[in-house]
Amino acid sequence: MKYYSYFLLLFLGFFSCKTEKKQEPTSSHTQKLTHYVNTFTGTDGPGNTYPGAVLPFGMVQLSPDNGLPGWDRIAGYFYPDSTIAGFSHTHLSGTGAGDMYDLLVMPINSRFTESLTPDGAYRPYSKFSHDREKASPGYYSVDLLSSGIKAELTTTQRVGFHQYTFPKDDESQIILDLGYSLNWDKPVDTKITIEDKQTIVGYRKSKGWANDQRVYFVMQFSKPFDAAQLFNQSEEVKKQTVEGTFTKIVAHYKTSEGEKIKVKVALSSASIDGARKNLEAELPHWDFEKTVEEADAVWERFLSKITIEGTEAQKELFYTNLYHVFLTPSLHSDVDGAYKGADGENHVAQGYNKYDTFSLWDTFRATHPLYTILAQKETEDMIKSFLSHYDETGLLPVWSMAGNETNMMIGYHAVPVIVDAYFKGIPMDAKKALEACVASANENGRQIDVYKKLGYVPTGEHHENWSVSKTLEYAYDDWCIAQLAEALGEKEIQKTFAERANYWKNIYDSKSTFFRPKDENGNFTSPFVAKEYTKEFCESNAWQYFWFVPHDIDGLIDTLGKERFTEKLDSMFTYYPAANDKLPIFSTGMIGQYAHGNEPSHHVAYLYNNIGKPWKTQEMVRKIINTQYSTQPNGYCGNEDCGQMSAWLVFSSMGMYPINPAEGIYSITSPYVEEASINLENGKQFKITTENQSDENQYIQSMTLNGEPYNRLTIIHKQIMEGGELHFVLGSTPTKTD
C-alpha cells in the first residue's frame, strides 16, 4: 500500500504564546455521555432518523410512527408532525428506503373520539406534543394527548419493552396491528394466536424494498387482559387464531388511575420458538426501570469508546453523531444463532452474531473504517455475516436487510470493508473472503460483464444507467481485490484486478477534464455539461464524481497536472449552481458543487493534503462541520445513511479521515474538539490533544507524535492501535508551503 509522504512546512517547536480560548468551560468529567445525545437529531429535514429505543446494533428499533406516508416519514417519524399511530419495532436509520415498521402497538381508551385523519391504513390514533415527549439512548416516552396515556419504551437487543400508564377507564385497550404499513412496506401474510390471557404469538411477513421479510414474535402482557378480539381486515374472528394479510388483536382492560401495564415483544427472523428463546434469555422479568438503566449502561459503554474534551455544544454534536454510528448494522440472529438467510432458508450463525442492514454504498467510506477502531469484534462478525451471505447466494451483499438482498445502489462495496479489515488484523477466513470478492466482481449482472469486456460501463437507455459512477466504483473495488490477492500470494488474481483498477482512465476525457459517458463503440456522448445531472451519474454529477479514484489520487493528479487539479479542486467549492440548474437528487449541503448531503463528496475536502495545501483542508473541513451539522431536529444536511454522515463528523472532529477506506491511512486535519481519547479494545489509548483550540484557531502550526516532531499529513492505523498521543498546536494563520 502506498503511504503518502507530503510534508508540512511546520515550526517544530511549540509557540511560546497561546491565544485566549473564546469557548465556554468544559463540563464535569462525571457527566454521563448519554446525556449529550439528542436522539431527535435528523428527524426533521432530510436526515430520516428515528428517535425511539434501540441498543447498539440491536435487532429491535422500537420507535413512534406518525402514521402518515411520504418521503419525510421514511423512518416512520417526522418532527413537524403532531400525531402518533403507534409504536412499531423495526426501523431504518437515515436511509431513503421506506420499509420495515413491523408490529405496531398502540394503547387507547374511551377518551379518544376525534377522527384525526380519514379512516384508512394510515389513521393515527393520538395527538402529541414535543413538550410532553422525552428520549435518550435506549429510552423514549410521550404523553398521548388524545387518551391521557403515558407511553414509555425501552429495549434489549431482541426484545421491545413497553410501559403504559393509564388513567381510570373501563374501556382501555392495547392494540397490535399487523396490517399496518407505510410507504414501500406491505404485509403479505400475518398471523396472531392467543396462547393465554397474557401471551400471544405470531408472525408478520411482508415485502417492500426487501422482498421477503419475516418477523416472528412472542408478545406478553404484565396483566391478563379481560377480553381480546381478533380481526381479519375489519371483520372480527371468533377463534383463538387469525391469519390473513391484515390482522390485528385488541386486548381489553379496565384500568385504575395511574395503573401501569407492561408489554414485552420479542422478535425473531427465524421462528416463534426463536422469539420465545430470545424473550426468556434477555428479558425474563418485568422491571422496566431496570431495563432502562441497563440500556443506558450499554450505550454509556459504547459512547465511552471515545472520550472528548470541548464545549458543551461540541460534546452534544460529537456524541449525537457517535450514537448514530452504532445504530446499524442490525443484529439478525437469535440467541441460539438462528436466522432467516438471503436464500429464504433458516440458518444458524455458529459462534458469531449474524448482522444485516448493510448500506454499503454509504458506509464503506468511513463508518466501517471507524468500526475497525472502535468495534473490532462486531467487525469480525460483520465479515462473517458477509461470508454467510456469500454461502447463501454466491455473492457478497450489496445492500442487504432483513435477510434479503435489495441490490440497491452500485459497486461491490463489501469488498473494501473486507480488505480494510484484513489488513488491520481483523480475524477472518481470508482465502474464502478473496473467493467471495472475486465472485462478486465477476458476476454477469449489474453491467459487470460489459465492464469486464469493454473496460468501462457504457451508457444505455435505462434512466438509472449510472455508467460513469459504476466504472469508477468497480475500478476502486477491483484495486481492493488486487491488494488482498497480492497479500495472499494469488498472483494471477492480483494481475487481473490490478489491470481492472486502472479502468477509471478509460472514461477520462482530456478535453473537458472530466469523466464522461461513453457509448458501446468507445465514443464520448454529447452534449455534456459537467454540472448537470444525467443518468450516467449515481445521485451526482460529473463534478461530484470526478474525485472518486481513492486508490490512485496521485495518478489522478498526474493525469490533469498538479496545477489544473488544484484549480479544479478550488472550483469544486466555489462554483455554485445557478438557480435553474438541474441538480442531482440529494444535492443538499451544497458548497459550490460539493454536496455534503451525499456520500460521493465526503473525501474531497481532504484532497488538498495530497497537493501540499493542507491549510485548505483545514479551512474546508471546519466549514463543513460548522455549516452542515447541528443537534437540532434538522441537524443533518442529507440522509444520515446508516452512520456514514455521522462517521464523517466523528473522524473529522478528531482531525482525520480515510480518503481511501481500504488503505488503513488517515488524512490529517486540525481537530474540531479540544481533546479526544480513543479507548482501544486492546487496552491501549490513543489521544489527540490540542493547544490553542478555538473557532479562530483552525490551522495546524505544528504537530508531535509521542513527543517527537511529526511532519506527515497522514497517520496509519497501526500507529493509532499502538496507542500514544498526537498533539497539535493550532493558530489563526495558515501555515503555507508555497
Side-chain angles (χ1 to χ4, degrees), residues 302-314:
F302 270 79
L303 296 175
S304 296
K305 290 172 182 285
I306 306 176
T307 52
I308 69 166
E309 295 296 336
T311 66
E312 293 294 284
Q314 287 173 332

Side-chain angles (χ1 to χ4, degrees), residues 95 120 197 218 243 399 439 463 478 547 647 696 726:
T95 73
K197 288 191 174 184
V218 173
E243 187 171 2
W399 208 129
H463 73 286
D478 290 342
W547 316 99
E696 295 81 11
L726 180 62

Side-chain angles (χ1 to χ4, degrees), residues 40 67 169 625 683:
F40 293 101
D169 198 300
I625 292 174

Side-chain angles (χ1 to χ4, degrees), residues 474-543:
Y474 291 162
Y476 171 66
D477 292 342
D478 290 342
W479 176 87
C480 295
I481 295 173
Q483 306 312 300
L484 181 58
E486 182 178 30
L488 298 180
E490 297 289 349
K491 294 183 179 180
E492 288 303 312
I493 295 175
Q494 188 274 335
K495 180 181 178 181
T496 296
F497 284 92
E499 291 174 357
R500 285 170 55 167
N502 286 318
Y503 283 179
W504 64 270
K505 299 177 181 179
N506 296 338
I507 56 171
Y508 176 73
D509 172 31
S510 59
K511 184 176 180 180
S512 68
T513 68
F514 282 98
F515 297 114
R516 282 184 59 181
K518 274 185 174 180
D519 62 23
E520 291 184 348
N521 297 317
N523 301 312
F524 289 116
T525 60
S526 295
F528 172 75
V529 180
K531 67 178 179 177
E532 287 189 356
Y533 177 40
T534 65
K535 63 187 177 184
E536 291 86 6
F537 295 90
C538 179
E539 300 181 355
S540 301
N541 61 20
W543 273 100

Side-chain angles (χ1 to χ4, degrees), residues 374-430:
L374 304 181
Q376 293 186 319
K377 179 60 174 73
E378 287 85 356
T379 296
E380 180 182 348
D381 287 356
M382 291 173 199
I383 302 302
K384 290 178 178 178
S385 298
F386 289 173
L387 296 182
S388 68
H389 188 102
Y390 168 66
D391 289 337
E392 295 154 16
T393 67
L395 299 169
L396 292 168
V398 176
W399 208 129
S400 62
M401 59 168 280
N404 293 260
E405 177 58 78
T406 69
N407 274 313
M408 182 62 72
M409 306 310 293
I410 59 176
Y412 23 96
H413 294 315
V415 168
V417 176
I418 289 171
V419 173
D420 183 46
Y422 172 79
F423 283 109
K424 289 175 177 175
I426 303 295
M428 68 178 69
D429 184 339

Side-chain angles (χ1 to χ4, degrees), residues 305-308 318-319 322 369-370 373-374 606 621-622 625 646-657 666-679 686-690 693 700 703 715 720 726 728:
K305 290 172 182 285
I306 306 176
T307 52
I308 69 166
F318 186 89
Y319 286 111
L322 187 58
L370 188 58
I373 300 173
L374 304 181
Y606 285 85
V621 169
R622 189 66 64 92
I625 292 174
S646 297
W648 188 97
L649 185 282
V650 170
F651 264 128
S652 296
S653 294
M654 296 190 296
M656 64 181 79
Y657 190 81
Y666 306 96
S667 191
I668 289 175
T669 189
S670 57
Y672 175 66
V673 299
E674 180 182 336
E675 181 178 308
S677 298
I678 305 173
N679 301 304
F686 186 80
K687 296 185 69 173
I688 296 121
T689 58
T690 66
Q693 171 61 258
I700 299 172
M703 294 185 290
I715 189 165
I720 294 173
L726 180 62
F728 294 80

